[in-house]
Amino acid sequence: MKKINVAIDGPAAAGKSTVAKRVAEKCSFIYIDTGAMYRALTYKALEQKIDLEDGPKLVDLLLQTKIELEPADKGGKVLVNGEDVTKEIRENDVTNHVSIVSKHSGVRKLLVERQQQLSRQGGVVMDGRDIGTHVLPNAEVKVFMVASVEERAKRRFEENLQKGIQTDLEKLKEEISLRDKLDSEREVAPLQKAIDAVEIDTTSLSIDEVIAKIIELIEERS
Ligand code: C5P
């Protein structure tokens, strides 16, 4: 299969990372979770009690922060300056603050550069909010995954239950809606469907059905 680039965007908890990881595995492409980069910086900023509204301070912090994403087949860990933060970056505190950190243009500029560097060789499946519109505008396949907020909250609720974490479904719904609002209304690279992206509504589709649709697009275009 030709080493093309695949951009997968969409709102919070739409199942992008699960699907992107499996698509990458099937095509022997590299999966890149850009959200993990914004989360890693947010984790560091919270740890150092940096004002999340202070863009230049966050940029300084980012310049001193080495973020490594291990390939999925090597464990898929997220390391920050060598520290394994895979679990920590998924915790509520990070999740509920990451959209503030990611709105700053300086932060985005640096992370987008890193993301573009990682995809230079092609053969990448990258998920995020601005991949099809800004990071990989020339990606051969662009997908915009959507699902109702009820369905996304329900999936996250069940995922948490399986991990033994009890959550409040209504609160999850509110948190997901707020994150979507912040990500869609920010000035720099807001969450938006690229004009040439194929929208997939996953509300009533299984993960396997979504994967099959994306593989079909990859086969068509490679
Ligand atoms: O994909 P995930 O939910 O882990 O992303 C966490 C947050 O990181 C998003 O809510 C968004 O604020 C930010 N993000 C972004 N651009 C990306 C990926 C994530 O702004 N390409």
Side-chain angles (χ1 to χ4, degrees), residues 10 36 41 96 116 124 138 142 154 165 170 195 212 214 216:
L41 177 63
N96 292 335
Q116 288 174 334
V124 151
N138 298 322
K142 295 184 188 179
K154 208 175 89 201
I165 308 167
E170 281 312 307
I195 348 167
I214 298 176
E216 215 174 284

Side-chain angles (χ1 to χ4, degrees), residues 34-35 38-39 98-99 102 108 128-130 179 183 186:
T34 62
Y38 291 95
R39 286 173 179 272
V98 63
S99 295
S102 70
R108 302 201 69 82
R129 303 293 186 287
D130 60 340
R179 197 140 65 91
D183 291 342
R186 70 179 172 224

Side-chain angles (χ1 to χ4, degrees), residues 69-84:
L69 306 180
E70 268 186 356
D73 61 351
K74 300 258 154 59
K77 282 193 202 127
V78 179
L79 305 175
V80 171
N81 297 335
E83 180 196 353
D84 180 1

Side-chain angles (χ1 to χ4, degrees), residues 57-69:
K57 272 240 172 71
L58 290 168
V59 167
D60 280 348
L61 174 66
L62 183 53
L63 289 170
Q64 302 156 30
T65 307
K66 187 171 176 204
I67 301 171
E68 290 168 278
L69 306 180

Side-chain angles (χ1 to χ4, degrees), residues 8-14 16-17 31 33-39 42 89-90 94-95 97-103 108 112 115 126-131 135 156 179-180 182-183 186 188-191:
I8 302 186
D9 290 299
K16 299 183 300 291
S17 63
Y31 166 59
D33 175 0
T34 62
M37 298 180 174
Y38 291 95
R39 286 173 179 272
T42 305
I89 63 165
R90 305 283 157 201
V94 171
T95 303
H97 289 99
V98 63
S99 295
I100 305 173
V101 170
S102 70
K103 73 178 177 179
R108 302 201 69 82
V112 167
Q115 292 154 8
M126 194 177 273
D127 80 346
R129 303 293 186 287
D130 60 340
I131 311 305
V135 183
R156 194 43 57 91
R179 197 140 65 91
D180 286 353
L182 292 173
D183 291 342
R186 70 179 172 224
V188 196
L191 166 67

Side-chain angles (χ1 to χ4, degrees), residues 37-60:
M37 298 180 174
Y38 291 95
R39 286 173 179 272
L41 177 63
T42 305
Y43 168 78
K44 264 300 185 211
L46 289 170
E47 186 189 64
Q48 300 196 5
K49 300 194 171 29
I50 287 175
D51 176 4
L52 304 187
E53 293 294 341
D54 192 337
K57 272 240 172 71
L58 290 168
V59 167
D60 280 348

